[in-house]
C-alpha cells in the first residue's frame, strides 16, 4: 500500500511539480502582462535615454557576470534589475509583472535542474556537507527519464543557485526591449553592418511579439465571451485558458500572415531595399548619460574579475537538464 | 582548455571527435556560402522577409512563454517536446509560405537573434545560432531544394502542366513531413548530447541515451512534421501564397 502511495506521489511530483511556475505566469502575469513587458513604451528616465548599443552591451555584460560569478552575485543583480523596473513608465505595474515572471523563472529553473543533478556534482557544490538531506526517493525506474533516485535539499539549493544565472539575463533582456524603440534597434544593427534584410526581419519580429500576445489575448477573451467554461466550476473555467490559448494559435497565425502583405507593400512603396544602404535623419548619439552607462558596464566587469580573484567565481560545472 | 572552472572537454569517452563536428560545420558553412552566392538575400522579397519575421516571433512566443508553460503540465520525457514541436510546426508553415532555399537557415537565425533579445540576453551565442541554423535550418532547406521549390506539393503540377490530384499533393506533404520529422530528431541527441554538452559541461556521453533519445524523438517529430506540412499547405492557401 505504502509503495503504491509512493508511486502516485512520485508521479504527481514529476507531472505537476513544475506546474506551479506555469500557473504563476498564467494567473498573475497573464497574456496582458507578457504583452506589457515585451512592448516598447516611450519614457524619459535614464534607461530610456541610454544609447541602445550601451544597453545591448550592458545586457551581454550582465549575462557574463551572472555566468562567471557565484550565485549570490546573480541574485543581487536580479534584485537590482527588478527594482530598476520601478523607474519605467507605469513602473509599479511593470515591476509586478516582472516580479512574478522572475519568480516563475526561478521556480521553473530550480525544478529543471534539481531532480537531474547527480550526487557527484553536488559534492563539488557542497564540499563541506557530509550527508545530503533526502527529501524524496523516486522509484528506481525514474532513472530512465534522467531523474536521480533521491531528491535532496542540496539538489534543490543547487537548482536555485543555477536559476540565478538565468533570471538576471531575462530581466535585462526585457529591460532592453521595453526601453528601446524599434527604430533605434534598426539604427544600431545598421551601424554594426548587419545586412538590411536580416535587420528588417529582426525588427518586424520585435514589433510582432507584443502584437501576438495582444491577438492571443483578444482571441482567448472572445472564446470566453462565446461561452467557454460557462456553468463549470470557477477553477475549471480558469484552467480552460490553456485550451483557449491552444485554440487561438492557428487563427492568430493566419491573421498575422495575411496582415504581413500590407506591411510588405507598405515597406516596398517607401523604397525599402531600393538602395543597398539607407540614410537616417536621426543619428545615434553618445551623451553624458551613456558615460554613466559605460561606468556601470566597467563596474560590472571589475566586479566579475574581483569576485573571481577572491574565490567567488563559478567554480562548479553547470549541468543543464 | 578551461575557463572559470568550466572545462571545454574534447576527450570525454564516447564523445564525437571534434574533427568530425568541425568538418560537418565547415561543409554546412560551404553550403551557406553557395546559397548566398547563387541566390543571396536578394532572392527573398519583402513579403518573404515579413513571413520569416512573423514566424520567428511566433516561435519565440511559443517556445519561451506559452509552450514552455504548457509543457510543464506534461511529463518530462524525450517523447514529448512541446516547446520544440511548436517551433518546428511554425517553421514548416513559414517554409510552406516562402519555399525558397535559405528559408530554414534565415528563419532560425532570426529566431535566435530574437530569443537572445527577449530571453537569453545573448547567452550561448554564436554557438547556438551556428548549430541550429546549420542543422535544423539546413535540413529544411535541403528538403526545399529537393522539392524544387514545390514544398509540401504546393504549386506541384504534372509534366504536361495540368494540376495534379489532391491525393498526390496530400501524399507529397505527408512524405515530406515524415522526412523533415526524422531529420529534425537527429541534431539534438547527436550534436548536443554527443558533443556540445560534454564539451561545455564535461557531461558523460552515454550512447544508449543518445540512441534512446533519437528513437524517442522520431515519433513526435514525425507527427508534428506531418501536421506542420498539412497546416502549411492550408495556411499557404488561406493566405494566398
Amino acid at each position: 500500500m505504502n509503495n503504491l502511495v509512493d508511486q502516485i506521489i512520485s508521479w504527481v511530483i514529476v507531472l505537476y511539480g513544475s506546474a506551479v511556475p506555469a500557473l504563476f505566469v498564467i494567473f498573475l502575469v497573464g497574456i496582458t502582462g507578457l504583452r506589457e513587458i515585451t512592448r516598447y513604451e516611450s519614457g524619459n528616465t535614464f534607461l530610456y535615454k541610454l544609447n541602445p548599443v550601451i544597453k545591448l552591451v550592458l545586457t551581454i555584460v550582465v549575462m557574463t557576470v551572472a555566468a562567471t560569478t557565484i550565485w549570490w552575485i546573480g541574485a543581487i543583480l536580479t534584485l537590482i534589475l527588478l527594482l530598476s523596473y520601478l523607474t519605467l513608465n507605469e513602473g509599479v505595474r511593470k515591476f509586478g509583472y516582472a516580479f512574478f515572471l522572475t519568480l516563475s523563472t526561478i521556480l521553473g529553473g530550480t525544478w529543471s535542474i534539481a531532480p537531474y543533478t547527480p550526487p557527484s556534482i553536488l559534492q563539488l557544490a557542497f564540499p563541506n556537507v557530509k550527508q545530503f538531506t533526502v527529501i524524496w526517493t523516486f522509484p528506481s525506474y525514474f532513472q530512465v527519464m534522467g531523474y536521480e533516485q533521491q531528491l535532496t535539499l542540496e539538489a534543490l539549493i543547487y537548482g536555485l543557485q543555477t536559476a540565478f544565472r538565468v533570471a538576471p539575463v531575462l530581466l535585462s533582456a526585457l529591460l532592453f526591449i521595453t526601453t528601446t524603440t524599434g527604430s533605434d534597434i534598426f539604427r544600431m544593427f545598421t551601424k554594426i553592418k548587419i545586412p538590411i534584410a536580416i535587420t528588417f526581419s529582426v525588427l518586424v519580429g520585435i514589433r510582432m511579439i507584443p502584437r501576438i500576445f495582444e491577438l492571443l489575448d483578444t482571441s482567448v477573451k472572445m472564446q470566453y465571451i462565446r461561452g467557454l467554461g460557462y456553468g463549470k466550476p470557477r477553477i475549471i473555467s480558469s484552467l480552460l485558458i490553456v485550451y483557449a490559448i491552444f485554440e487561438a494559435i492557428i487563427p492568430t497565425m493566419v491573421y498575422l500572415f495575411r496582415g504581413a502583405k500590407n506591411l510588405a507593400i507598405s515597406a516596398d512603396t517607401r523604397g525599402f531595399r531600393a538602395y543597398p544602404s539607407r540614410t537616417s535623419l536621426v543619428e545615434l548619439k553618445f551623451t553624458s548619460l551613456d558615460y554613466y552607462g559605460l561606468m556601470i558596464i566597467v563596474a560590472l566587469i571589475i566586479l566579475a574579475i574581483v569576485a573571481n580573484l577572491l574565490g567567488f567565481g563559478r567554480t562548479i560545472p553547470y549541468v543543464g537538464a | 582548455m578551461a575557463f572559470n572552472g568550466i572545462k571545454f572537454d574534447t576527450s570525454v569517452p564516447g564523445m564525437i571527435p571534434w574533427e568530425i563536428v568541425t568538418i560537418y560545420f565547415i561543409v554546412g558553412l560551404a553550403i551557406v556560402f553557395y546559397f548566398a552566392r547563387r541566390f543571396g538575400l536578394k532572392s527573398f522579397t519583402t513579403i518573404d522577409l515579413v513571413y520569416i519575421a512573423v514566424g520567428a516571433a511566433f516561435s519565440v512566443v511559443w517556445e519561451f512563454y506559452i509552450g514552455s508553460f504548457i509543457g510543464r503540465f506534461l511529463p518530462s520525457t524525450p517523447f514529448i517536446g512541446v516547446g520544440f514541436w511548436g517551433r518546428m510546426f511554425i517553421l514548416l508553415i513559414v517554409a510552406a509560405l516562402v519555399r525558397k532555399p535559405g528559408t530554414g537557415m534565415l528563419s532560425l537565425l532570426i529566431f535566435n537573434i530574437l530569443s537572445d533579445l527577449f530571453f537569453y540576453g545573448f547567452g550561448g551565442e554564436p554557438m547556438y545560432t551556428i548549430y541550429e541554423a546549420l542543422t535544423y535550418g539546413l535540413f529544411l532547406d535541403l528538403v526545399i531544394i529537393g522539392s524544387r521549390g514545390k514544398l509540401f506539393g504546393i504549386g506541384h503540377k504534372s509534366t504536361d502542366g495540368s494540376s495534379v490530384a489532391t491525393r498526390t499533393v496530400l501524399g507529397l506533404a505527408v512524405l515530406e513531413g515524415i522526412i523533415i520529422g526524422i531529420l529534425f530528431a537527429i541534431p539534438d541527441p547527436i550534436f548536443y548530447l554527443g558533443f556540445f554538452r560534454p564539451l561545455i559541461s564535461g557531461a558523460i556521453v552515454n550512447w544508449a541515451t543518445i540512441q534512446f533519445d533519437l528513437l524517442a524523438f522520431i515519433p513526435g517529430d514525425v507527427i508534428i512534421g506531418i501536421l506542420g506540412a498539412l497546416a502549411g499547405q492550408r495556411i499557404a492557401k488561406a493566405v494566398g501564397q
Side-chain angles (χ1 to χ4, degrees), chain B residues 38-222:
Chain B
R38 175 126 189 242
F39 307 105
L41 282 169
K42 280 189 181 142
S43 70
F44 292 104
T45 60
T46 308
I47 185 111
D48 293 337
L49 295 175
V50 179
Y51 285 147
I52 288 170
V54 172
F58 224 110
S59 303
V60 169
V61 167
W62 179 266
E63 185 136 355
F64 299 112
Y65 298 104
I66 298 173
S68 70
F69 299 119
I70 292 177
R72 284 177 196 170
F73 291 92
L74 299 168
S76 164
T77 99
F79 288 98
I80 298 170
V82 180
F84 179 74
W85 284 350
R87 182 170 20 138
M88 183 180 166
F89 186 77
I90 295 160
L91 198 60
L92 296 192
I93 291 170
V94 172
L97 289 167
V98 181
R99 305 190 297 277
K100 285 176 187 163
T103 309
M105 285 190 279
L106 189 58
S107 295
L108 279 157
L109 174 70
I110 305 297
F111 166 79
N112 270 291
I113 296 175
L114 286 178
S115 51
D116 274 335
L117 283 168
F118 282 84
F119 195 82
Y120 292 129
F122 291 86
E125 295 302 334
M127 192 181 82
Y128 283 105
T129 306
I130 296 168
Y131 161 60
E132 294 202 329
L134 291 184
T135 51
Y136 302 112
L138 182 63
F139 294 163
L140 187 58
D141 286 337
L142 291 176
V143 177
I144 293 174
I145 292 171
S147 70
R148 295 180 184 174
K150 312 264 189 305
L151 190 69
F152 309 141
I154 300 167
H156 184 77
K157 298 255 183 347
S158 60
T159 41
D160 61 0
S162 59
S163 295
V164 292
T166 314
R167 214 172 41 195
T168 315
V169 177
L170 276 180
L172 276 171
V174 170
L175 180 70
E176 284 164 16
I178 292 171
I179 294 170
I180 292 170
I182 294 170
L183 288 174
F184 272 40
I186 297 171
D188 207 39
I190 303 285
F191 283 110
Y192 185 68
L193 294 181
F195 184 74
F196 288 116
R197 201 162 162 226
L199 177 83
I200 298 164
S201 56
I204 296 158
V205 181
N206 184 347
W207 276 90
T209 312
I210 293 175
Q211 281 172 21
F212 177 75
D213 278 10
L214 180 64
L215 293 173
F217 285 162
I218 288 176
D221 286 5
V222 164

Side-chain angles (χ1 to χ4, degrees), chain A residues 77-90:
Chain A
L77 278 179
T78 307
L79 185 67
I80 293 170
L81 285 163
L82 202 52
L83 289 173
S84 64
Y85 275 76
L86 288 169
T87 68
L88 303 180
N89 268 356
E90 303 277 353

Side-chain angles (χ1 to χ4, degrees), chain A residues 116 169 249 268 273 308 314, chain B residues 4 44 46 62 76 120 122:
Chain A
Y116 305 98
V169 181
I249 289 164
D268 281 338
R273 292 207 295 179
N308 274 279
R314 182 178 286 274
Chain B
N4 195 35
F44 292 104
T46 308
W62 179 266
S76 164
Y120 292 129
F122 291 86

